Amino acid sequence: MTSAPRPDERSEAEPPDVPGFRTWRGIYLFVFGWFLLVVFLLSVFTGVFS
């Protein structure tokens, strides 16, 4: 008899199907890094072109 997984178990056991990334944490950090880069570039371009 198998039991259902507990809700407090981490879902890291299921790797993402994205080339170049082995963990979901890597994907989240990559997306967050791109977000910070875009915000930084928008602030720089606003200062340069205003």
Side-chain angles (χ1 to χ4, degrees), residues 4 13-15 20 43 46 48-49:
E14 194 172 317
S43 65
T46 300
V48 169
F49 293 112

Side-chain angles (χ1 to χ4, degrees), residues 22-40:
R22 289 181 283 165
T23 63
W24 284 104
R25 181 179 298 209
I27 293 174
Y28 296 145
L29 290 175
F30 179 77
V31 170
F32 185 65
W34 269 107
F35 172 75
L36 290 178
L37 178 66
V38 168
V39 169
F40 174 74

Side-chain angles (χ1 to χ4, degrees), residues 4-23:
R6 291 181 292 166
D8 61 346
E9 289 183 4
R10 296 188 67 158
S11 63
E12 289 286 332
E14 194 172 317
D17 290 331
V18 180
F21 294 99
R22 289 181 283 165
T23 63

